[in-house]
Amino acid sequence: MLLAISGGSDSLALLLSFDAWRRIHAPHLSLFAVTVDHALRPEAADEAERVAQICAEHRIPHKTLRWEEAAKGSALSQRAREARYALLARAAEQAGTDLVLTGHTQDDQIETHLMRKARSATGYGLSGMAAATLYRRRLWIVRPLLTHSRQALRDYLCSMNQAWLDDPSNDDEAYERVRVRRAVAKMDAAARADICSAIAKAQAFRARLVDDTVSLIRTNASPVEPSGFRLVMTSEEACIHALRVLLAIAGGGSFLPDEGRVRILTHRAVNGERVTETLSRCVVQAKDGCVTMKRERRDLPQIALEQGSVLWDGRFEITTQVSELLWVAAGDDCMPKVVTGAGGAGDTALERVQIRPVASPFKDRLSGLDWPLANAVAQLLGADAPPALPYSGHDNGIVLT
């Protein structure tokens, strides 16, 4: 398996503690350490070299991955994060694993909770990071240290006389997380415990909502040809969540539609009103206590496809093994139409491709907390089930299966 290490105290403590555990309890596991050099600071290359030296001292294979696009474009932090995960996914594929360990700690969890709370997030959004997240349907990012404080990890490293590296960007208060991190560092044990309790309650709320939503989808939801859904409405909170998820999937959206609008729609449908409106790129109709949703006929893409896979309209993954250039456009039913010529002028070529439905809200990131819901909608769609969760429990740390 892969372990992402920057050289900071969190990831270094994870590397050394996991390697010690592995050598005793799971010597059959191969461990590879990977450092991502974002090339954003002149010192980054030297720091990556120092990490390589530490890994060599402990006989752990190490590789540095460099982001070559750092100086281009805006939204640097977001692009750097995406690049980091893309590089890790590529390295994992080359190493023959679908698992990457990262050093996120209890402090990171508290910071995430407080930042979301400042944005007026509710119970679902306040649940923080999951112990595992599926990246682009193929790589599990596992966080074994979410119950461990940063100070405890530094105490562990000090007991081994092991120094760590400090990233100067962690002192730049231009970043919101740095400001929050400094506030968290000043908290006493009681304040930390209160926040951890709030996170646990939010996670319990989320787990109940997911379970209730799964049950409702299995009993009240059905597919509508060619690629829509019908949901028998109830006044339950889970029905609002189910409708948001199904609307996002039917419209190919990466994000769930506005909760306020869906709540109003649910109330009107439950009260027997007839409604026709557009929401989340869908035509939505409420009648006789049911809501039907289908992709509306606008902004449907036309894209080229040549020996590989493309995601079309956020709703379908289309794959071909032939080298001939194909074009994917929309048919009259808003379903993908594959032809040999641009503009839909060529011959139909559906026999040359494989078309799979995709649950769009879960395609890039799937929180382990939402895995049961992703599995339920995959069954409803006739899509591939998400890969099994990579742990059997995490009350006292991750137990890998």
Side-chain angles (χ1 to χ4, degrees):
M1 67 181 63
L2 247 61
L3 189 148
I5 176 169
S6 65
S9 58
D10 304 345
S11 59
L12 185 54
L14 174 61
L15 177 76
L16 299 185
S17 60
F18 183 79
D19 185 52
W21 175 88
R22 178 189 68 89
R23 292 180 186 276
I24 296 172
H25 300 286
H28 61 284
L29 285 179
S30 297
L31 178 64
F32 302 90
V34 174
T35 299
V36 176
D37 176 5
H38 295 96
L40 298 177
R41 297 180 294 109
E43 310 89 351
D46 292 337
E47 292 167 359
E49 180 57 32
R50 177 56 188 142
V51 173
Q53 292 171 2
I54 294 173
C55 290
E57 292 167 5
H58 291 273
R59 303 189 305 279
I60 300 171
H62 174 271
K63 184 177 183 179
T64 297
L65 308 174
R66 183 178 172 85
W67 184 33
E68 302 295 346
E69 303 295 324
K72 303 176 182 178
S74 57
L76 191 56
S77 294
Q78 179 180 349
R79 291 191 302 111
R81 183 170 56 252
E82 287 299 319
R84 179 165 62 252
Y85 285 123
L87 288 168
L88 289 172
R90 190 182 311 160
E93 185 176 5
Q94 292 171 351
T97 182
D98 62 355
L99 198 68
V100 174
L101 304 183
T102 65
H104 294 97
T105 67
Q106 184 183 80
D107 293 66
D108 296 305
Q109 186 75 297
I110 291 172
E111 293 160 16
T112 299
H113 174 87
L114 292 175
M115 290 165 65
R116 292 180 181 175
K117 187 175 182 179
R119 296 182 177 88
S120 302
T122 56
Y124 198 91
L126 294 176
S127 56
M129 293 179 282
T133 297
L134 185 65
Y135 174 75
R136 293 192 176 175
R137 296 176 284 166
R138 68 179 189 271
L139 177 70
W140 281 109
I141 299 163
V142 179
R143 308 176 181 94
L145 301 180
L146 288 179
T147 58
H148 298 268
S149 71
R150 179 166 293 119
Q151 188 57 54
L153 299 178
R154 291 183 171 182
D155 291 343
Y156 168 74
L157 292 175
C158 289
S159 73
M160 303 175 66
N161 294 318
Q162 177 64 64
W164 60 85
L165 304 176
D166 286 313
D167 183 344
S169 64
N170 289 332
D171 295 323
D172 186 352
E173 291 199 357
Y175 296 102
E176 178 189 15
R177 186 170 288 274
V178 172
R179 299 192 298 272
V180 175
R181 181 168 297 164
R182 290 189 170 178
V184 171
K186 296 176 183 177
M187 290 180 178
D188 58 22
R192 289 178 65 101
D194 287 344
I195 296 175
C196 289
S197 177
I199 294 171
K201 290 178 181 178
Q203 289 187 346
F205 168 82
R206 183 169 178 168
R208 289 193 300 272
L209 181 59
V210 165
D211 287 345
D212 291 346
T213 304
V214 167
S215 297
L216 191 139
I217 284 176
R218 286 178 172 161
T219 57
N220 289 29
S222 56
V224 173
E225 295 296 334
S227 64
F229 301 105
R230 179 177 182 269
L231 183 64
V232 180
M233 303 300 290
T234 74
S235 58
E236 301 170 67
E237 194 70 23
C239 191
I240 296 171
H241 193 55
L243 183 54
R244 293 178 73 201
V245 171
L246 295 178
L247 279 166
I249 294 171
S254 297
F255 302 100
L256 304 190
D258 178 71
E259 181 179 348
R261 286 192 63 184
V262 175
R263 190 173 292 276
I264 292 171
L265 173 61
T266 300
H267 177 76
R268 295 177 68 186
V270 169
N271 287 334
E273 292 186 43
R274 289 196 173 193
V275 180
T276 299
E277 63 178 73
T278 57
L279 179 59
S280 193
R281 301 203 309 172
C282 293
V283 175
V284 183
Q285 293 181 313
K287 180 182 177 182
D288 299 329
C290 296
V291 169
T292 302
M293 64 216 80
K294 296 181 181 180
R295 176 71 164 93
E296 64 175 325
R297 188 167 177 75
R298 70 174 177 87
D299 300 330
L300 291 158
Q302 177 176 286
I303 56 177
L305 170 63
E306 185 175 10
Q307 201 166 19
S309 297
V310 294
L311 183 67
W312 185 80
D313 198 41
R315 297 184 294 142
F316 296 96
E317 182 180 58
I318 304 177
T319 305
T320 182
Q321 300 301 325
V322 301
S323 57
E324 179 184 4
L325 180 64
L326 302 175
W327 290 88
V328 187
D332 293 336
D333 55 2
C334 297
M335 292 289 286
K337 175 184 178 183
V338 183
V339 297
T340 56
D347 298 327
T348 302
L350 281 175
E351 73 282 355
R352 308 181 198 184
V353 301
Q354 185 176 32
I355 300 176
R356 296 187 182 93
V358 171
S360 50
F362 307 123
K363 71 180 187 303
D364 290 330
R365 300 282 196 285
L366 169 60
S367 166
L369 300 170
D370 289 334
W371 189 93
L373 180 54
N375 189 50
V377 297
Q379 293 175 7
L380 181 65
L381 271 173
D384 295 336
L389 288 163
Y391 50 78
S392 58
H394 52 269
D395 290 340
N396 296 296
I398 297 293
V399 180
L400 298 173
T401 55

